């Protein structure tokens, strides 16, 4: 494919927009972002559940209840550990990409939070409590006291902080996607207008050359020159035919883009204020109505 020729026709920005509006990729990125926020938020809930189960375990009225609470505590600890490593290292099962940002890694592995150490020690304390003999199951148990203290203050604050950071990064990523889509859409609009103008100029040039050919042929002495003009017209018709042959493709791409945009509006009816202001400025409703008409005019031309 002659990409330089496509660039002059103004089609490359439209192809870029088609790639950018790949709804499967956009949906997948949003799903991953949502999973990160949800799993990090679930860590907070699991920490509180572990504290509740730890108190229930110590205060169990009988052996059967103690066994039930111990199993529930160990299961919750395992889930919290799995989620923790998934957030840091990634997990296909939980749709987690791993590779946290520098800000998140600092929260996990550097002062003042050292959240990774906090989470691992919290889980170790829960497992240690579950392994204590019955005689040690008292309100003064050191593992229980550690769990209650961390769940109420330091660990809870750290988990809240990292959830907020994940939410902030997810929001920033979404804003960047929205801004890029708006930019590419504007480029495609300008490219379509430029392509129509170029096609019009080519048509005018072709008509002028055809008239010149007729005049030259009328003169017997200029017959050879007339033949040269005819050959030149033939060469110009090739790109004109190429443009005409691609109008249907442009129409298909445009319909796909417009349907994708409408689906995007349907799925996300409340866009970011900045994007909403931009859409109002470019008169999106008028564009959606007028663009197919322009393509009809181009094809007739």
């Amino acid at each position: 494919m002659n990409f330089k020729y496509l660039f002059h026709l103004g089609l490359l920005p439209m192809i870029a927009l088609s790639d950018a509006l790949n709804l499967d990729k956009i949906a997948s990125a949003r799903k991953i972002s949502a999973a990160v926020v949800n799993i990090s938020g679930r860590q907070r809930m699991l920490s509180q559940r572990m504290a509740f189960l730890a108190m229930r375990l110590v205060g169990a009225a009988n052996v059967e209840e103690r066994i039930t609470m111990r199993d529930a505590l160990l299961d919750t600890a395992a889930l919290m550990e799995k989620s923790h490593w998934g957030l840091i290292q990634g997990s296909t099962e939980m749709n987690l990409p791993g590779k946290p940002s520098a800000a998140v890694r600092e929260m996990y592995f550097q002062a003042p939070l050292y959240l990774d150490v906090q989470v691992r020690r919290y889980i170790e304390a829960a497992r240690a409590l579950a392994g204590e003999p019955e005689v040690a199951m008292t309100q003064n148990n050191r593992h229980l006291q550690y769990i209650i203290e961390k769940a109420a203050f330091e660990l809870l604050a750290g988990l809240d902080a990292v959830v907020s950071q994940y939410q902030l990064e997810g929001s920033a990523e979404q804003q960047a996607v929205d801004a890029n889509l708006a930019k590419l859409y504007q480029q495609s609009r300008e490219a379509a207008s430029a392509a129509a103008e170029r096609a019009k100029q080519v048509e005018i040039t072709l008509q002028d050359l055809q008239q010149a050919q007729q005049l030259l042929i009328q003169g017997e002495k200029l017959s050879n020159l007339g033949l040269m003009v005819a050959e030149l017209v033939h060469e110009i018709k090739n790109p004109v035919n190429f443009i005409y042959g691609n109008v249907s493709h442009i129409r298909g791409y445009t319909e796909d883009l417009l349907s994708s945009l409408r689906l995007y509006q349907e799925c996300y009816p409340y866009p970011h204020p900045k994007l909403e202001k931009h859409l109002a400025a470019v008169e999106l409703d008028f564009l959606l109505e007028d663009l197919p008409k322009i393509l009809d005019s181009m094809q007739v031309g």
Side-chain angles (χ1 to χ4, degrees), residues 192-193 196 247 250-252 254-255 258 262 284-301:
S193 177
V247 168
I250 296 176
R251 182 189 301 280
T254 301
E255 290 174 355
L258 295 181
R262 291 190 182 99
L284 179 62
D285 292 339
F286 173 78
L287 186 149
L288 294 176
E289 178 182 357
D290 194 54
L291 183 56
K293 296 179 181 179
I294 292 176
L295 290 176
D296 289 339
S297 298
M298 290 173 61
Q299 189 166 23
V300 171

Side-chain angles (χ1 to χ4, degrees), residues 211-223 226:
Q211 292 175 2
Q213 179 187 16
Q214 293 173 0
L215 292 174
L216 290 173
I217 292 177
Q218 291 174 3
E220 188 174 287
K221 294 182 180 181
L222 299 177
S223 60

Side-chain angles (χ1 to χ4, degrees), residues 165-184:
Q165 182 61 30
Y166 278 129
Q167 291 174 332
L168 181 64
E169 292 177 2
S171 177
E173 180 180 356
Q174 183 55 49
Q175 290 178 10
V177 169
D178 292 342
N180 188 47
L181 289 176
K183 179 180 178 181
L184 288 173

Side-chain angles (χ1 to χ4, degrees), residues 10 28 42 58 94 120 158 184 234 275:
S28 177
R42 186 172 69 178
V58 171
M94 292 183 284
R120 288 189 288 108
L184 288 173
H234 176 73
L275 177 57

Side-chain angles (χ1 to χ4, degrees), residues 201-256:
Q201 292 299 324
V202 170
E203 182 181 358
I204 294 173
T205 301
L206 178 59
Q207 292 174 354
D208 291 343
L209 288 173
Q210 287 174 334
Q211 292 175 2
Q213 179 187 16
Q214 293 173 0
L215 292 174
L216 290 173
I217 292 177
Q218 291 174 3
E220 188 174 287
K221 294 182 180 181
L222 299 177
S223 60
N224 290 334
L225 183 57
L227 180 60
M228 292 176 58
V229 173
E231 292 175 353
L232 181 60
V233 170
H234 176 73
E235 292 298 320
I236 293 179
K237 282 183 178 180
N238 286 335
V240 172
N241 290 334
F242 176 83
I243 295 172
Y244 178 80
N246 278 282
V247 168
S248 61
H249 297 298
I250 296 176
R251 182 189 301 280
Y253 294 155
T254 301
E255 290 174 355
D256 290 342

Side-chain angles (χ1 to χ4, degrees), residues 81-137:
E81 183 178 54
K82 180 180 179 181
S83 301
H84 178 64
W85 290 120
L87 288 168
I88 295 176
Q89 299 177 349
S91 169
T92 55
E93 178 185 352
M94 292 183 284
N95 204 28
L96 297 174
K99 298 180 181 179
S101 67
V104 172
R105 290 191 64 84
E106 182 177 345
M107 291 179 173
Y108 276 116
F109 300 108
Q110 297 182 28
L113 293 182
Y114 288 110
L115 188 55
D116 172 62
V117 173
Q118 286 196 64
V119 171
R120 288 189 288 108
R121 287 180 178 175
Y122 191 74
I123 294 171
E124 290 171 1
R127 288 172 173 163
L129 178 63
E132 289 278 58
E134 184 174 350
V135 67
M137 293 294 182

